[in-house]
């Protein structure tokens, strides 16, 4: 009984199928949702480039291109679980800028979405992509190859 309670309250995620499925679903859901923001920016690029916020001082058009990179290209990598932690860095950075700079003076309700994305991306970054990812498959092959070469 106590072991079951501990497993419920403090799960061991190493090799836990529910954890791996949860990470897959999180990557798919948040990757696709975030990518939709970037696709909207691509569709409205001409109009948005004129007035897009420029918090880094690189120009509105470059700032928009960087946001699209983080929201589209990096989201695709996240969805497939390929270079997950690396791909999350621009996504986390984009949401930090949105939450702490662009919407700094706004009420929380206006910046809640960027906070949700930021928190989710940090959680995935800490947890890793899970077993159902290209990262896992690549890692397994690399480990196997390294072990083979040691013999």
């Amino acid at each position: 009984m106590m072991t079951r309670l501990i497993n419920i309250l403090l799960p061991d995620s190493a090799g836990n199928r529910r954890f791996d499925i949860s990470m897959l679903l999180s990557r798919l859901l948040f990757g696709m949702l975030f990518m939709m923001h970037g696709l909207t920016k691509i569709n409205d690029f001409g109009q948005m480039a004129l007035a897009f916020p420029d918090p880094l001082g690189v120009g509105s058009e470059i700032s928009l291109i960087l946001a699209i990179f983080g929201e589209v290209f990096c989201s695709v990598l996240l969805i497939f679980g390929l270079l997950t932690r690396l791909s999350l860095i621009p996504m986390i950075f984009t949401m930090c800028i949105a939450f702490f700079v662009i919407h700094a003076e706004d009420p929380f309700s206006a910046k809640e979405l960027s906070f949700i994305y930021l928190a989710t991306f940090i959680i995935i970054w800490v947890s890793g992509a899970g077993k159902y990812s290209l990262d896992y498959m690549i890692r397994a092959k690399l480990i196997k190859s390294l072990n083979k070469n040691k013999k």
Side-chain angles (χ1 to χ4, degrees):
M1 177 72 168
M2 187 57 126
T3 303
R4 185 173 178 169
L5 181 61
I6 290 171
N7 286 336
I8 291 170
L9 295 175
L10 304 167
D12 178 9
S13 62
N16 183 315
R17 184 172 178 190
R18 281 179 283 173
F19 170 80
D20 292 323
I21 290 171
S22 296
M23 292 313 299
L24 171 63
L25 294 175
S26 296
R27 287 191 348 260
L28 292 173
L29 175 66
F30 285 95
M32 286 191 266
L33 288 171
F34 201 58
M35 185 171 48
M36 296 308 295
H37 289 280
L39 293 175
T40 301
K41 287 177 176 69
I42 290 173
N43 289 335
D44 298 333
F45 186 85
Q47 186 176 3
M48 290 187 81
L50 301 173
F52 196 77
D54 181 26
L56 304 176
V58 295
S60 291
E61 189 172 325
I62 299 295
S63 292
L64 179 57
I65 290 168
L66 291 172
I68 290 170
F69 173 79
E71 293 175 6
V72 177
F73 180 74
C74 293
S75 288
V76 171
L77 294 175
L78 176 64
I79 290 166
F80 287 102
L82 179 61
L83 303 172
T84 304
R85 286 189 168 150
L86 186 61
S87 69
L88 282 165
I89 293 170
M91 298 166 81
I92 290 169
F93 182 78
T94 300
M95 289 300 94
C96 280
I97 294 294
F99 185 77
F100 294 110
V101 179
I102 304 303
H103 297 291
E105 302 301 319
D106 294 346
F108 186 76
S109 60
K111 54 186 175 181
E112 182 177 9
L113 185 60
S114 58
F115 180 77
I116 291 169
Y117 279 122
L118 176 60
T120 301
F121 295 154
I122 290 171
I123 290 167
I124 296 172
W125 189 86
V126 169
S127 301
K131 184 176 181 179
Y132 305 113
S133 66
L134 292 176
D135 286 350
Y136 183 85
M137 292 174 14
I138 291 168
R139 183 184 184 280
K141 287 184 180 190
L142 287 173
I143 297 286
K144 186 177 179 180
S145 175
L146 287 173
N147 288 338
K148 187 177 180 181
N149 290 336
K150 285 183 179 179
K151 291 180 181 180

